[in-house]
Amino acid sequence: MSTSQSSTCVYVRDDAHGWLPANVLSYDTAKQTAKVVVTIPSSSGGTSMDNSTEERDVDLASYDSQTLPLQNVDENGRPIIRDDMCDLPSLHEAAILFNLRARHHRCLPYTRVGDIIIAMNPFQWLQGLYADDVREQYVDRLVWREGNTGGSGSAAGDDPKAGLAPHVYETSSSAYRGLAVDDTHQSILVTGESGAGKTETVKIIMSHLASIQTSAAEDAAATPDGAPNTAPGEHISHHPRDNAVVRRVLDSNPLLEAFGNAKTVRNDNSSRFGKYIRLQFDVEDATQAAYQGRAVPTCLLAGSFCETYLLEKSRVVGHEAGERNYHVFYQLLAAPQDAKAAIWDGLMDCQGTEFRYVGASGADETTTIEGKTDEEKWQHTVDALETIGVAGDKMRTLMRSMCVVLQLGNLTFAVDPDNEDGSIISSADELAKLASLMGVDVDDITQSLTY
């Protein structure tokens, strides 16, 4: 396709689709308009974008520099789709969105922009995307082989990512190599709107980092030519959870989700807080590693620190219709009867409607989050608490504090008949339950909560 022909392939704005590919039929320089033929995709999606067409008059004044953005097309006029959007001939908003859309319809959720990975949530589990052999492929290419060639890939000057499909594993692999080989602190920023897949991405990255370090610790010494003594497919054959520290770090996720995630209208498992997770690694001295015959020093996960911020505290006392409070409350109410009895007898036979904070009129009736019931999630939370040493009386005290929050929501207030500027607690029975639960005198609670 000649330059003049390719310049007729453009994008135009569309209210329903954002941007659509189009071909320019003619320009009216006096009116600053263009007549185009727009290609409209069918509702089922696809990548050919040739389902139907229509003519439109486009006002050029609404576009930057009064110019329609060019499509990325090959010599035959077919759309160019790239793994790395840095390789697109024309890079602008329309080209980026079109490239992402095309890959999304091909069930390719990851797209690269240099060292940045863009993840499009497929809202389904893609078989094989996170299989062991896929993890091994990225570790072998980006950690072991790259490290053994001094950072230049399989051959001098080669890009180690060449031939690898974009994947979040390249982010975790590159971060691991930065720690182990370059001895440099690493930072991974996961950001996006609600429902974009941030929570799952963090779990995938942490699990991958743990799997690399577990296998690295057990790899044999390097062979004389500098390659690891194990075959590429043997590097992460050991399950990361076999290590107690790794297990604690990975099993912290159910706790963060139980106490900090909730169902919203857009996402059943939405994080209602920000978190900064610091993974602490014990990196082997490079000289010692070389002496032992290892081209890549071992990098062992020694612990972690999690700082949370901006928790949506208001959700505890109220949420929109179709949404839920934090998961832990529903898990607690769905727990087995013997577990409830051990925590507080006020939970016996309760299904949720008894507590205003979770069972108010119009409350969402969802009992399954990401394919697991609240009762199943309860057991995951209990197991995770036990992993970090919260069990027995500690766990009971923690869950009783959750009961206190629920019971506080059942208190009702009224104007003090003896003082119109004051207030009283009008729900005597609910107050008595709260006092018994807290082990605090009724009068002390009343004095604290009323004026």
Side-chain angles (χ1 to χ4, degrees):
M1 177 174 285
S2 66
T3 302
S4 60
Q5 288 175 317
S6 62
S7 64
T8 67
C9 298
V10 298
Y11 292 105
V12 297
R13 292 193 180 94
D14 182 82
D15 292 337
H17 299 277
W19 294 90
L20 286 176
N23 288 89
V24 177
L25 297 178
S26 62
Y27 286 103
D28 188 327
T29 55
K31 296 181 179 179
Q32 285 194 326
T33 61
K35 183 178 290 293
V36 301
V37 176
V38 178
T39 304
I40 304 173
S42 66
S43 58
S44 60
T47 59
S48 62
M49 307 294 288
D50 58 357
N51 297 275
S52 63
T53 61
E54 68 177 35
E55 288 192 10
R56 294 183 184 178
D57 291 320
V58 179
D59 181 11
L60 297 178
S62 62
Y63 292 82
D64 292 340
S65 303
Q66 291 76 51
T67 302
L68 297 176
L70 294 177
Q71 287 186 53
N72 293 302
V73 294
D74 62 17
E75 60 184 9
N76 296 314
R78 292 190 295 263
I80 296 174
I81 309 301
R82 290 287 185 260
D83 288 351
D84 190 334
M85 290 195 288
C86 290
D87 296 332
L88 290 174
S90 297
L91 190 62
H92 43 68
E93 178 184 326
I96 291 172
L97 294 177
F98 186 87
N99 196 79
L100 291 173
R101 179 184 183 277
R103 290 180 59 80
H104 178 74
H105 282 300
R106 296 177 183 178
C107 291
L108 299 172
Y110 295 115
T111 303
R112 187 183 296 126
V113 185
D115 291 331
I116 299 172
I117 294 295
I118 298 177
M120 295 282 287
N121 193 341
F123 293 100
Q124 60 178 310
W125 192 258
L126 300 179
Q127 192 69 29
L129 185 61
Y130 307 104
D132 285 351
D133 60 335
V134 175
R135 290 188 293 172
E136 293 162 4
Q137 182 183 20
Y138 286 84
V139 174
D140 180 60
R141 179 75 70 84
L142 301 180
V143 178
W144 312 126
R145 291 184 182 175
E146 182 174 289
N148 293 332
T149 57
S152 61
S154 57
D158 288 348
D159 180 0
K161 294 182 291 187
L164 285 176
H167 202 295
V168 71
Y169 285 162
E170 70 186 58
T171 300
S172 47
S173 297
S174 297
Y176 184 91
R177 181 189 179 280
L179 283 172
V181 178
D182 300 332
D183 194 25
T184 304
H185 295 306
Q186 303 294 303
S187 180
I188 299 174
L189 176 64
V190 181
T191 184
E193 64 178 11
S194 179
K198 299 184 295 297
T199 299
E200 285 301 316
T201 296
V202 169
K203 290 190 288 188
I204 292 168
I205 289 174
M206 289 178 63
S207 179
H208 191 222
L209 284 169
S211 70
I212 299 172
Q213 72 97 38
T214 301
S215 61
E218 301 181 14
D219 270 345
T223 56
D225 64 359
N229 197 36
T230 51
E234 296 174 347
H235 280 301
I236 56 174
S237 60
H238 306 283
H239 201 287
R241 293 179 184 270
D242 292 342
N243 180 291
V245 174
V246 172
R247 186 168 63 252
R248 288 186 178 185
V249 172
L250 297 183
D251 285 349
S252 66
N253 281 312
L255 295 181
L256 295 175
E257 292 185 15
F259 289 88
N261 287 23
K263 179 187 177 183
T264 66
V265 292
R266 298 184 63 183
N267 182 3
D268 283 358
N269 191 31
S270 175
S271 297
R272 310 311 300 164
F273 67 107
K275 56 180 175 284
Y276 174 65
I277 301 175
R278 181 183 299 163
L279 299 181
Q280 300 163 322
F281 288 84
D282 182 8
V283 182
E284 182 183 24
D285 179 74
T287 302
Q288 180 67 23
Y291 179 77
Q292 296 292 332
R294 285 188 293 273
V296 178
T298 59
C299 188
L300 305 180
L301 184 62
S304 70
F305 172 80
C306 182
E307 181 177 350
T308 63
Y309 52 93
L310 299 178
L311 178 67
E312 186 187 21
K313 297 178 181 178
S314 61
R315 181 167 293 271
V316 173
V317 298
H319 48 271
E320 299 295 326
E323 298 190 346
R324 301 206 316 176
N325 207 321
Y326 289 103
H327 294 328
V328 66
F329 295 116
Y330 303 92
Q331 294 173 11
L332 176 60
L333 294 170
Q337 292 299 323
D338 57 342
K340 290 182 181 180
I343 296 170
W344 179 42
D345 56 11
L347 291 176
M348 296 298 294
D349 299 322
C350 288
Q351 301 300 317
T353 56
E354 296 83 357
F355 297 100
R356 185 176 293 109
Y357 285 167
V358 297
S361 177
D364 188 85
E365 297 181 356
T366 298
T367 59
T368 301
I369 299 295
E370 295 186 339
K372 294 188 181 296
T373 65
D374 290 327
E375 183 176 359
E376 292 173 317
K377 290 282 191 177
W378 160 261
Q379 191 56 53
H380 290 173
T381 300
V382 171
D383 292 343
L385 285 169
E386 185 174 355
T387 299
I388 63 171
V390 180
D393 289 341
K394 289 183 179 179
M395 201 278 284
R396 180 175 179 271
T397 300
L398 174 63
M399 291 304 164
R400 282 177 70 88
S401 70
M402 298 296 102
C403 296
V404 169
V405 173
L406 290 175
Q407 188 60 28
L408 276 168
N410 284 356
L411 298 184
T412 57
F413 297 83
V415 176
D416 187 344
D418 299 326
N419 178 12
E420 63 180 13
D421 293 329
S423 60
I424 62 171
I425 298 176
S426 56
S427 51
D429 291 343
E430 300 295 344
L431 176 59
K433 291 180 183 179
L434 178 63
S436 174
L437 173 61
M438 295 178 64
V440 178
D441 188 83
V442 168
D443 292 338
D444 291 336
I445 297 177
T446 302
Q447 184 177 0
S448 299
L449 298 180
T450 59
Y451 172 74

